[in-house]
Amino acid sequence: MSRFVKKQLFSMVDLLDKANKTLEKNLLKKKIDQEELTKLLSDCQESALSMGNLLEELYGEGHEIVGELEAYCETLYQMALSLLNPLARRELLSQLNRHIKRLRKGVGEKVSNKLEVVFLPYKVSMWDSLESIWQAADADENCDAYVIPIPYYDRNPDGSFKEMHYEGDQYPDYVPVTDYGSYRFETRMPDIIFIHNPYDNYNYVTSVHPYFYSQNLKGLSDLLVYVPYFSTAGGMSEGQGKCISYYYVDYIMVQAEKFRGFYDPSLPQEKLQPLGSPKFDRVVRICQNPPEAPGEWKEQMVGKKVYFYNTSLGGMLGNTQAFLKKMEYVFKCFEGREDACLLWRPHPLLESTFESVRARYKPVFDELKAYFIRNKLGIYDDTPEITNTIALCDAYIGDAGTSVTSLFGIVGKPMFILNNDIHSQPGKDDWRGQVVNGFSLTEKDAWMITQGNRLYHAGRGGDRYSFTFCCDLSHYAYGGYYAWVVELNGKTYVCPSSGQDILVLDPFDKEPGSGQTGAEEECKKECKNEGKRFISRRIPLENPIEQSGAFRTVAVFGNYLFLIPNQYPAIVRYDTATGEIQYWEGSQEVACSTKREERQLGGIGVWKEYLFLASPVDNRILKVHMETGESEVLTVGSEDNTWGCCGMAGDGQEFWLLPYEGKVITRWNPKTGETREYRDMPEGLACTHPSRGYACEGMPFGSAAFYGDSVVFSPNWGNMFVRLDKISGKIEEWKPPFEMPREPKSDYYPYWGKGYFIYPHYIPPLPPTEEIYIDSQVYQFFSSLDKTLYQVDFVENTYEEIPIEFDLEEVRRHEPGFREDSQWLMYACQENAFNSLTDFLDGRITGDPFDKERQIQAFSEIAANPDGSSGEKIYQFVKGKL
C-alpha cells in the first residue's frame, strides 16, 4: 500500500467528516431543506462506496474498515428516512460522528503505512541495472517492493510495432514477479517507480508499451527515477545525453561525478545523482562466487581459457560490412585451438536491429551464426543473464563502446579491444600504417603524433623525415588527445584533439633538472621522458566536456592559436604572448551538422585577418575577425546549394570550396564576393565511403595545388585527381606520375581520405595590408592509403618518393600493451600490428603485461560506491526524498 493511497483514504474520511459538519449545521436550522439534505446524504454514500471499493480492490473482501463503511451507509439511509424527526436525526447524527472517528482510526491502524516501490524492467537481460536497488527495498520491512516486467515491441523499418515480447517468466526464482495486467497503477499510485528505459517512443528498434512511457508514469507516482540500463568504462555516446525520459523523471542515477558532464546542461544538476551503478553491485557479487556452468557448456570449457566475445550494436551500426568480416576473422582465429574456448554473446537486440535498420546484411549474419553453431566453434550464449556468463569467463574480446567492458573492468578481468577494420594477421611493415599518421599542410612541420599520444620529432642531424621519440603527451595510452604541433616565436605548442589543454614543450637543449618547477618535474615524470624533450606546462581550458573529439584543427594568426571546435562549445583563442584565453561561442550552428548517422564538419579557411568556417550542408560561411571576435554569417554562391563545403582550399586571394556532397566546386573571392561554380566534371568521377565501402556522393576532393593557371584537386573519397584551368574553366582528369593505390595497403592502414597536398612553403598570417599568392610547380603529396610521401613536379610531371623513417625497436619499446587506455576506457589492450588477436591468445603481449590490481584501481575512479553498495545508496537516497 503506497503512502499516497493512505493519504487518499484519509482525505476521503476528511470529506465525510466535512459533510457531517455541513449536515449538522443544516439540521440546526429552523426550517430544513429536505431535498438539499437528501442530496448531501446521497453524496456521502457515494464517497463511502468509493472508499469501500478502493479497499476491496487493494485488500480483497472482508476488510474491517469496509464493514464500518457499510454501517456508516446504513446510518445515512436511516438519516434520510428520519429527516423530519428531530429526536431520531439527533441520535443518528451522533452515530455518524462515531462512524467517522472509527473510520479515521481504522485507516490509521489497519491500513499499512509502508512505502510502495515499483520496478519496471522490460528485458530480463537488463534486470541487473535494477536488482540491487530492489534487494535493498525488499529488505526494508517498511517497504512493499513490486517487480513488474512490462511488455515491449520490435519495430518494423517504418517504425510501426511488430511482435510483442514479455519476459516476465524468465526472471530468477528469487525475484517475485507481479503481472503488469493485475497491478492497477491509477488505483495504487506507488510512491516510487524505477525505470531503466529512457527512450519512450524514440527508440527505432524496440519500444516498451506506450502506457509505460515516462510522460505517463510521471503522473502515477510521487517519484519517478531513471537508472541507466548500461554501465560505462568511461564514456557515453552523444545520444545518451538528451533522452526524452530525462525531462519527466525526478532523478537520474549517474555512475560517477564525472558523468554529469555528458548530460544535457539544461537539466537541473540536483536531478543527476552520482551514486554508482547497480550493474557493478551484481557483477562484483557473482564473480566472488561464480555459479556452476550449464551442463552443455562444461565440455567445451574444461581445460581451456574462456574468452567472452561481445558483438555490440554500436560496432554493427558503425560499419556493418567491417563488423561482419571481423566476426568471420575472430571465428577463424579460434578455430582448431585446443587451449581457448570462444564464448560468443551477441547484444540481445542485435538480430532485431539487423532486421529493422540493416536488413540487407541480415542473411550474412545468419550464415555466420549458423557456421559458428554448426561447426561447434565455441559456446553460443543466448541466456538472459550476462553476469553469470562474465563470472565464468577469463577474458574479454570485442568492441570498446559497450557497457560490457565496464563489467569486466570493475572485476579485474583482462580486456582486449578489437579493431573491426582488422581482418587479417599483421604483415612485416604493417606497424607503419598505425605510426605514420601524416603531416600538417605546411612543409615546415617536423613533428608527428603517433597513435597513443606519443610525440616524435624529425630533422635533428639534417634528416627532416627521420623521426625519433620525444615524449608521451598523456598518461593515457590512446584516445587521440593531441593532433597538431605549432612552432611559434621560438616555442612549441601541442594542440588538443580530444584533449582539453594546450601543452608547451621544453627546448631540446634544456638539461633535465635544470631550473624546473615542481609542475615541470611532474610533467616530466608523467610523460616518461627519456632525456630528449618534455612538457614544461599544461594550459587547461575552461568548461571541459566529457565527449571525445573536442577540436578539429588549429589555425594560427600572429601570436594567436585558434582551436577550431568539433564537440567543444566554442572557438578557443590563445594568445601565446600574454597567455590570455578567450572563448567565442556560436560556431557550431553553421559549421557542424549530423546527417546519415555521421557528424559532418564544414571547411575552414584563413584570409588576411579573418577566419572562415563553412557549412557542410548549405552555402553559409561564418566569418570571424581574429582580432575582435566579431562575426557574421555570409551566403556564398547559389541559393539552392545543398552540397555544402568540406574544405576551403585557398591560394591567398581566392578560396575553392570543395563540396561535401556532389561534384560542384565553387570559386569564391572573399574580397569582392564574386563566385563561379564548376560543374562539368570528368566522366567516371565516383566516390566510395572510406569505411563503409558503399558508393556515395560524399567529399570527392580533399585539397588543392596551385601552379600557373592550373588547380589540381586531390581525391578524398573520389577516385581521381582533377585539373582545372582557371582561364577556360575546363576540367579534366589529372594522372599523377606516381602510382596511386586504390585501396589501403592493408587492414592496418586506417584512413578517412585518400591523401592531400602539402603547401610548398610555410605561409605565416600576414597583416591585412599585405597580399600573398601561392604558385609553385613543386608540391608534396601524402598518400594516406599507403602512408607514403611524394614530391611532385607538375611542370616536369615527375616525382620523388621521400622516405619516412622510424626506428622499429624504438617504436616497439613505447608500445603500451595493457595500460590506462583513455578517459573513455580506463584500462585495456588495443588490437594492432604489435598486438594481434593471435598474440593475445598466445600470451605474447608487446608492452606492459596485464595487471589486475591496476585495472581495478583504474575502474574504481569512474564508479561511485564500487564496493557493491550502489543499490542500497540509491534506495536510501530516493526514500529520503519522499
Side-chain angles (χ1 to χ4, degrees), residues 681-730:
M681 293 294 161
E683 185 177 354
L685 176 60
C687 301
T688 303
H689 194 287
S691 64
R692 299 181 182 178
Y694 58 77
C696 65
E697 293 290 317
M699 296 192 282
F701 310 114
S703 66
F706 305 94
Y707 71 100
D709 293 330
S710 297
V711 187
V712 174
F713 299 99
S714 67
N716 195 36
W717 294 5
N719 62 344
M720 66 174 70
F721 292 83
V722 301
R723 176 187 173 277
L724 184 150
D725 188 300
K726 292 191 284 187
I727 305 301
S728 66
K730 181 181 178 181

Side-chain angles (χ1 to χ4, degrees), residues 194-210:
F194 286 96
I195 62 172
H196 66 184
N197 172 46
Y199 302 114
D200 290 356
N201 194 41
Y202 293 90
N203 185 333
Y204 302 112
V205 177
T206 61
S207 172
V208 298
H209 190 289

Side-chain angles (χ1 to χ4, degrees), residues 526-774:
E526 174 186 334
C527 295
K528 299 183 179 177
N529 178 262
E530 296 188 343
K532 297 180 179 179
R533 194 160 189 161
F534 65 91
I535 300 165
S536 63
R537 279 191 298 143
R538 291 185 181 270
I539 304 168
L541 305 180
E542 295 178 358
N543 304 315
I545 61 171
E546 293 293 344
Q547 299 287 0
S548 61
F551 299 99
R552 50 192 291 204
T553 192
V554 60
V556 181
F557 177 76
N559 292 320
Y560 300 132
L561 298 178
F562 286 86
L563 303 181
I564 311 302
N566 177 6
Q567 300 281 4
Y568 199 80
I571 296 171
V572 178
R573 189 185 79 173
Y574 174 63
D575 189 328
T576 60
T578 67
E580 179 187 22
I581 301 179
Q582 292 191 349
Y583 301 87
W584 297 343
E585 298 182 356
S587 63
Q588 275 89 341
E589 181 182 350
V590 173
C592 303
S593 179
T594 300
K595 191 175 183 179
R596 298 191 187 99
E597 303 176 7
E598 287 183 353
R599 188 171 181 82
Q600 297 182 341
L601 304 172
I604 300 169
V606 174
W607 176 76
K608 293 188 174 181
E609 70 270 38
Y610 293 102
L611 172 69
F612 297 104
L613 301 178
S615 166
V617 294
D618 55 36
N619 67 342
R620 292 175 300 157
I621 294 180
L622 179 69
K623 177 182 178 183
V624 182
H625 193 282
M626 291 191 284
E627 279 286 358
T628 66
E630 294 179 358
S631 64
E632 62 176 315
V633 177
L634 311 175
T635 54
V636 175
S638 302
E639 292 184 2
D640 64 348
N641 176 350
T642 58
W643 51 84
C645 171
C646 71
M648 298 180 67
D651 61 13
Q653 294 183 352
E654 295 181 305
F655 284 109
W656 301 75
L657 309 183
L658 310 180
Y660 206 105
E661 284 196 84
K663 301 170 183 177
V664 180
I665 294 175
T666 302
R667 180 181 184 179
W668 173 51
N669 188 316
K671 185 175 182 179
T672 66
E674 295 177 291
T675 61
R676 179 179 176 183
E677 292 177 352
Y678 300 88
R679 298 171 178 264
D680 190 16
M681 293 294 161
E683 185 177 354
L685 176 60
C687 301
T688 303
H689 194 287
S691 64
R692 299 181 182 178
Y694 58 77
C696 65
E697 293 290 317
M699 296 192 282
F701 310 114
S703 66
F706 305 94
Y707 71 100
D709 293 330
S710 297
V711 187
V712 174
F713 299 99
S714 67
N716 195 36
W717 294 5
N719 62 344
M720 66 174 70
F721 292 83
V722 301
R723 176 187 173 277
L724 184 150
D725 188 300
K726 292 191 284 187
I727 305 301
S728 66
K730 181 181 178 181
I731 306 174
E732 61 186 1
E733 182 179 0
W734 180 78
K735 293 186 180 296
F738 55 86
E739 185 176 351
M740 182 74 174
R742 295 181 177 275
E743 301 291 339
K745 188 174 181 179
S746 79
D747 297 343
Y748 296 85
Y749 282 70
Y751 77 105
W752 185 244
K754 293 183 177 177
Y756 50 86
F757 289 115
I758 298 172
Y759 282 0
H761 52 80
Y762 182 60
I763 307 168
L766 297 175
T769 57
E770 298 190 34
E771 298 269 346
I772 61 171
Y773 182 72
I774 302 173

Side-chain angles (χ1 to χ4, degrees), residues 430-456:
D430 279 344
W431 62 272
R432 295 179 58 83
Q434 298 172 316
V435 172
V436 182
N437 272 350
F439 301 88
S440 75
L441 296 181
T442 69
E443 286 185 359
K444 192 176 180 181
D445 184 22
W447 301 92
M448 191 173 293
I449 300 173
T450 69
Q451 67 165 6
N453 308 304
R454 290 178 285 280
L455 181 66
Y456 284 76

